[in-house]
Amino acid sequence: MEYNITLIKGDGIAEEIANSVMQIIEKAGVKINWDIQLAGAKVVEDEGSPLPQRVLDSVRKNKVALKTPVTTPIGKGFRSVNVQLRKELDLYANLRPCKNIDGIKTPFNNVDIVVVRENTEDLYAGIERKIDDESAESIKIITKKASKKIAKFAFDYAIKNERRIVWAVTKANICKLTDGLFLDCCREISKDYPSIEYKEILVDNLCMQLVQNPDKFDVLVLPNLYGDIVSDLTAGLIGGLGVAQGANIGEEYAVFEPVHGSAPDIAGMDIANPTALILCAVEMLKYLNEYPAANKIEKALYKILKEGRIKTPDLGGHSKCSEFTKEIIKNIN
Ligand code: NAI
């Protein structure tokens, strides 16, 4: 089987980590015709937008994309590429699994949390205005339709992946109408899934408990803003941005992307950690039902990380991204 897949090549470390992943997938034996689409700060000058229409057209055509990070130019009136992509393609679910990896030292060794973040509304609807020189406002949108959809996604994910508990996370004690509506929808959907335990927690309490007893948590379902913040926290629990994977999934399209940004401070130095993008590629292969190749890559990656001989500086090592990649390729068989 051959696949046409969009590779959104962004800025900073995008080139290095994309090259790593393309070589690894090739070694694992999956034939992909990469439709490479440049995006981000580097295309703004020529094309007038960090997310030109051709990128969206390519994802619409191919249905699946692997995305590297892009830099959104600050203060130039552009909407975030990521927010726009999610909105345009109705990628309503942002999935961020966070599980400890052997060989990566963290304060906890029993973290296995899946963050399911609503991706299309909340304060990210982008409805903001300046009232006067002294004040500005932003509108938080929560709808029944989007809240039920994300709750259903979380419970379906829990069933498919044999998880035990879904936690609905809000600040419904303060945002009574908006978060209250989100919570009502989670409660309603939970009734359709009697085999999964349903629990609720306020987001501030969750944050405290995540850094004390992360093993208590399983699948978390959250509105957009809390999901964004909490998923960086859970990424920190397993070793940081270099190893945190993510996926944006809708009914028609799926875009797999790491949590981290374009890391301009280390761009071009061949020291970026490609692990997060490799894990995204593994999830993408599973989404395509290419389980044998996905498992081979996962096994080789985890072996190298566990051995700890070859690791990038963000994990305390001295190796190059290209050396780490070569070592993984050597171990795929
Ligand atoms: P960042 O994630 O790019 O970097 C934060 C720190 O983590 C830096 O010290 C960086 O070197 C390190 N880091 C990140 N990824 C790494 C990796 N794979 N290997 C080793 N170290 C890594 O966040 P920052 O600095 O806030 O943002 C930089 C740019 O990225 C901004 O323009 C921002 O808009 C953009 N960004 C893009 C995202 C995306 O496209 N999904 C997500 C987040 C930020």
Side-chain angles (χ1 to χ4, degrees):
M1 181 104 182
E2 248 181 69
Y3 301 93
N4 295 325
I5 290 178
T6 303
L7 175 66
I8 304 177
K9 226 187 235 184
D11 303 293
I13 58 171
E15 184 78 31
E16 304 153 49
I17 57 175
N19 285 342
S20 161
V21 167
M22 285 192 290
Q23 293 173 50
I24 287 171
I25 294 183
E26 194 181 346
K27 178 68 198 294
V30 180
K31 173 87 182 100
I32 294 183
N33 305 312
W34 295 105
D35 180 359
I36 297 179
Q37 296 289 330
L38 302 184
K42 65 156 117 28
V43 303
V44 169
E45 200 161 305
D46 286 344
E47 302 188 54
S49 159
L51 183 67
Q53 185 61 37
R54 61 172 167 76
V55 182
L56 293 167
D57 292 345
S58 166
V59 183
R60 286 201 172 98
K61 186 172 76 177
N62 297 323
K63 312 271 187 225
V64 178
L66 186 64
K67 179 180 163 295
T68 56
V70 299
T71 300
T72 298
I74 295 176
K76 295 195 179 152
F78 296 113
R79 272 189 87 182
S80 151
V81 167
N82 301 313
V83 173
Q84 206 184 335
L85 195 65
R86 291 167 193 165
K87 192 103 185 145
E88 288 276 343
L89 301 173
D90 194 20
L91 302 169
Y92 68 91
N94 183 259
L95 189 64
R96 292 184 176 175
C98 285
K99 192 171 183 241
N100 281 124
I101 297 175
D102 277 353
I104 298 182
K105 258 193 158 162
T106 59
F108 301 99
N109 54 15
N110 45 6
V111 178
D112 184 6
I113 296 169
V114 178
V115 177
V116 177
R117 161 187 170 195
E118 201 290 322
N119 230 357
T120 62
E121 51 186 31
D122 195 356
L123 284 164
Y124 289 65
I127 308 171
E128 281 196 304
R129 71 180 184 110
K130 194 170 170 188
I131 299 171
D132 54 35
D133 281 349
E134 305 294 317
S135 49
E137 67 182 2
S138 182
I139 296 183
K140 174 172 165 117
I141 307 252
I142 299 284
T143 66
K144 240 186 193 176
K145 189 173 167 213
S147 304
K148 279 189 180 174
K149 221 163 138 181
I150 197 68
K152 187 169 178 325
F153 184 97
F155 279 96
D156 285 341
Y157 180 93
I159 295 276
K160 195 170 164 206
N161 294 279
E162 299 177 353
R163 314 290 304 209
R164 285 183 314 110
I165 312 171
V166 171
W167 294 79
V169 184
T170 64
K171 192 74 188 159
N173 55 333
I174 303 295
C175 301
K176 292 185 196 305
L177 294 182
T178 47
D179 284 5
L181 182 62
F182 185 89
L183 205 52
D184 285 346
C185 292
C186 292
R187 283 178 190 160
E188 191 184 325
I189 295 293
S190 73
K191 295 192 182 117
D192 297 335
Y193 297 84
S195 64
I196 303 288
E197 195 177 342
Y198 170 68
K199 292 189 173 185
E200 296 172 357
I201 188 163
L202 296 175
V203 66
D204 39 358
N205 183 10
L206 171 76
C207 288
M208 184 195 64
Q209 296 204 41
L210 276 175
V211 295
Q212 289 187 322
N213 307 302
D215 56 322
K216 172 173 171 180
F217 297 100
D218 193 336
V219 176
L220 308 175
V221 60
L222 315 88
N224 207 341
L225 177 64
Y226 311 140
D228 192 1
I229 297 166
V230 167
S231 57
D232 269 28
L233 194 164
T234 53
L237 291 176
I238 58 158
L241 291 173
V243 298
Q245 57 169 310
N248 295 293
I249 300 186
E251 260 143 35
E252 278 190 81
Y253 313 110
V255 176
F256 296 82
E257 64 170 342
V259 173
H260 63 74
S262 53
D265 53 336
I266 57 166
M269 295 162 72
D270 193 19
I271 55 168
N273 185 352
T275 298
L277 192 67
I278 297 170
L279 289 171
C280 293
V282 164
E283 283 310 305
M284 183 187 81
L285 291 173
K286 288 181 183 168
Y287 180 85
L288 298 169
N289 280 322
E290 291 284 351
Y291 279 87
N295 293 338
K296 273 193 227 173
I297 296 174
E298 225 169 13
K299 208 171 135 204
L301 171 69
Y302 289 146
K303 177 171 179 270
I304 304 307
L305 288 170
K306 188 173 179 183
E307 284 173 5
R309 279 182 303 113
I310 299 199
K311 56 187 177 190
T312 45
D314 59 304
L315 299 179
H318 303 283
S319 304
K320 302 271 184 206
C321 173
S322 52
E323 289 165 349
F324 183 70
T325 305
K326 265 194 210 132
E327 202 60 24
I328 294 170
I329 290 173
K330 236 198 274 171
N331 280 275
I332 295 178
N333 37 48

